[in-house]
Amino acid sequence: MPMFNQSEILDTIRMIDQQHLDIRTITMGVSLLDCADPNPARACQKIYDKLCAKAEKLVPTGEAIEREFGIPIVNKRLSVTPIALVAAASETDSYVPFAAALDRAAKAVGVNFIGGFSALVQKGFTAADRKLIASIPEALATTDMVCSSVNVGSTKAGIDMDAVALMGRIIKETAAKTADRAGFGCAKLVVFCNAVEDNPFMAGAFHGVGEAECVINVGVSGPGVVHHALQSVKGQPFDVVAETVKKTAFRITRMGQLVAQEASRRLDVPFGIVDLSLAPTPAVGDSVARILEEMGLETCGTHGTTAALALLNDAVKKGGVMASSSVGGLSGAFIPVSEDEGMIAAAQSGVLTLEKLEAMTCVCSVGLDMIAVPGDTSAETLSAILADEAAIGMVNSKTTAVRLIPAPGKKVGDMVEFGGLLGSAPVMPVHTQSAAAFIARGGRIPAPMQSLKN
């Protein structure tokens, strides 16, 4: 019996042609642990050589699948072992050359982004972690493709508040070093709680130490498809809405599974996971906010938004896990303000606020994503926002993350333009009351009771 019948194929063609369905990314994860070397120049050369060898055929293979199957594959990306682990053996004070090596390799093989200039400090810093984090502003200012992430908390370990305080300062410094591009470096920097090891999406992708030597992960996307499907059930009860989203997510994930398996076979690299997160774009008709409004909300961010998003996220996961036994990554709905046409409009209207976005992150994937705040926002305020979001992740045993852009020279109401998939963001207000004394305490917020699951 064929895997897909004619009706499914025609449905999929319509979804691609009219409803913005695409494969958002094929991400190849590569272990760099065997590239460690006391000589940093040698280590960087090993990293470059290995990535060029492993990923040589990634982009041509993705393009061939795109042509043959007629399925748009928007990005081809690389993720690597957290560089703080790889560079730890090298005798050097700066890890910027490692970022430069990653950037050169990404350009050589033609990928869109490379993730993994990362450190995992949820329970404390190694000397290498400190060097990597100190290198982030310069690394992101002097490279084009490199993305960075730092994990500052987990349900098992609690929240490292020293790391939270430090990352507020690093975000400020990164914005300053890329001030000529509206603080663009911050769009490539994510601060996590409960970071996952198999995330194909940027800027938070890295190749975890529990992963295989090399692996293919795929991220699908289809807000436009879900929005279109819900237009056929106007006024119906929420049971019907959930069932409609589930069936749609099933079809989207089946396509992701097909592309992932095909890429895995052609590249002779193990298939890892399909991440079925609904990842929006700035294009009209490809918005998570518009899905929520289709459920009956006048504007995304009004009362009822969190409940609508909870239903959407749950139904997407239920539909996805029926379509693939290898669902992983983050798998839910992203709510990046600058990358979602409906979110941008809702934020501009003042209905969607930072506080509402924080509430929404309790029930969806990731967190406060691609949010521009005034350029004069203090490092302590940024850290306090990071701490709030990490607390949501820690207590709810879920991944949360923050991508904040304190846009230099910009104030509330201004627009910050990034272009491409990163879109544009209205500068949103933050509370002006200080959290400096709170952040100055340092130490660690202990792990919650649910950490004791052994």
Side-chain angles (χ1 to χ4, degrees):
M1 194 172 78
M3 183 176 167
F4 294 90
N5 63 36
Q6 189 175 5
S7 158
E8 276 188 294
I9 291 167
L10 290 172
D11 270 351
T12 304
I13 290 168
R14 270 193 298 275
M15 286 151 66
I16 292 166
D17 200 35
Q18 298 162 23
Q19 300 158 29
H20 299 278
L21 178 61
D22 58 51
I23 298 296
R24 186 52 49 85
T25 178
I26 295 179
T27 301
M28 177 184 278
V30 182
S31 172
L32 298 182
L33 289 171
D34 58 349
C35 297
D37 194 291
N39 182 319
R42 267 204 309 267
C44 289
Q45 190 60 48
K46 286 181 186 177
I47 287 169
Y48 177 84
D49 292 344
K50 183 168 187 179
L51 289 174
C52 288
K54 290 284 186 186
E56 178 187 15
K57 295 177 181 168
L58 176 62
V59 172
T61 300
E63 289 171 347
I65 293 170
E66 203 171 0
R67 281 192 307 273
E68 291 169 38
F69 287 78
I71 298 169
I73 300 171
V74 180
N75 292 293
K76 294 86 182 171
R77 297 165 170 170
L78 287 170
S79 65
V80 301
T81 310
I83 290 296
L85 302 177
V86 181
S90 297
E91 294 162 8
T92 178
D93 289 328
S94 171
Y95 291 167
V96 173
F98 287 85
L102 295 177
D103 202 47
R104 284 199 311 277
K107 288 171 178 171
V109 299
V111 295
N112 307 90
F113 282 114
I114 183 164
F117 196 73
S118 305
L120 310 175
V121 294
Q122 59 269 24
K123 212 170 179 182
F125 298 86
T126 64
D129 292 329
R130 289 191 185 280
K131 289 177 189 175
L132 183 127
I133 292 171
S135 301
I136 286 173
E138 183 71 19
L140 296 185
T142 55
T143 59
D144 299 312
M145 311 291 184
V146 174
C147 293
S148 180
S149 56
V150 177
N151 194 63
V152 298
S154 73
T155 301
K156 275 287 186 191
I159 302 171
D160 183 342
M161 289 300 290
D162 292 322
V164 167
L166 177 57
M167 288 314 299
R169 299 193 293 274
I170 292 295
I171 291 168
K172 283 286 282 186
E173 197 180 329
T174 303
K177 281 195 179 290
T178 54
D180 57 329
R181 289 165 282 164
F184 175 69
C186 297
K188 301 186 291 173
L189 173 59
V190 183
V191 180
F192 275 116
C193 177
N194 287 322
V196 297
E197 299 194 330
D198 56 3
N199 168 19
F201 285 105
M202 296 299 167
F206 63 85
H207 187 69
V209 293
E211 296 285 304
E213 177 73 12
C214 188
V215 72
I216 288 290
N217 296 323
V218 164
V220 298
S221 181
V225 182
V226 175
H227 182 232
H228 185 268
L230 290 185
Q231 288 172 339
S232 65
V233 294
K234 282 187 189 295
Q236 297 287 313
F238 281 114
D239 325 60
V240 178
V241 173
E243 202 60 31
T244 304
V245 174
K246 256 166 53 181
K247 287 175 180 170
T248 308
F250 177 85
R251 293 211 301 274
I252 294 168
T253 309
R254 289 262 278 187
M255 190 183 80
Q257 173 95 349
L258 172 71
V259 169
Q261 287 177 331
E262 192 62 24
S264 168
R265 183 183 68 77
R266 294 187 186 195
L267 291 164
D268 194 26
V269 170
F271 161 44
I273 57 96
V274 177
D275 185 320
L276 44 100
S277 297
L278 295 180
T281 71
V284 173
D286 201 23
S287 160
V288 169
R290 300 303 184 199
I291 297 173
L292 306 180
E293 290 168 359
E294 185 60 38
M295 291 187 200
L297 304 172
E298 184 179 350
T299 305
C300 176
T302 191
H303 303 298
T305 300
T306 307
L309 185 58
L311 181 152
L312 174 65
N313 212 54
D314 180 63
V316 164
K317 292 187 183 204
K318 284 173 177 168
V321 296
M322 288 298 290
S324 172
S325 55
S326 302
V327 168
L330 301 162
S331 290
F334 288 136
I335 50 171
V337 174
S338 81
E339 298 173 20
D340 185 307
E341 165 270 325
M343 294 283 178
I344 294 168
Q348 282 179 307
S349 72
V351 176
L352 185 63
T353 63
L354 205 55
E355 289 76 17
K356 188 61 179 179
L357 280 162
E358 187 180 297
M360 290 162 70
T361 63
C362 297
V363 299
C364 78
S365 285
V366 199
L368 297 173
D369 198 13
M370 286 302 290
I371 293 172
V373 296
D376 61 0
T377 304
S378 71
E380 291 84 3
T381 295
L382 297 176
S383 292
I385 296 170
L386 299 181
D388 282 344
E389 199 58 35
I392 289 171
M394 174 184 73
V395 170
N396 291 295
S397 303
K398 72 186 286 292
T399 304
T400 50
V402 179
R403 258 194 304 177
L404 288 176
I405 300 106
K410 299 286 186 180
K411 58 186 188 302
V412 173
D414 291 345
M415 288 296 289
V416 184
E417 300 287 340
F418 298 114
L421 280 176
L422 294 173
S424 59
V427 176
M428 300 178 73
V430 299
H431 287 297
T432 53
Q433 291 77 10
S434 174
F438 175 77
I439 295 302
R441 286 176 178 272
R444 202 163 90 235
I445 293 178
M449 279 300 295
Q450 54 267 48
S451 68
L452 301 173
K453 289 184 177 177
N454 296 355

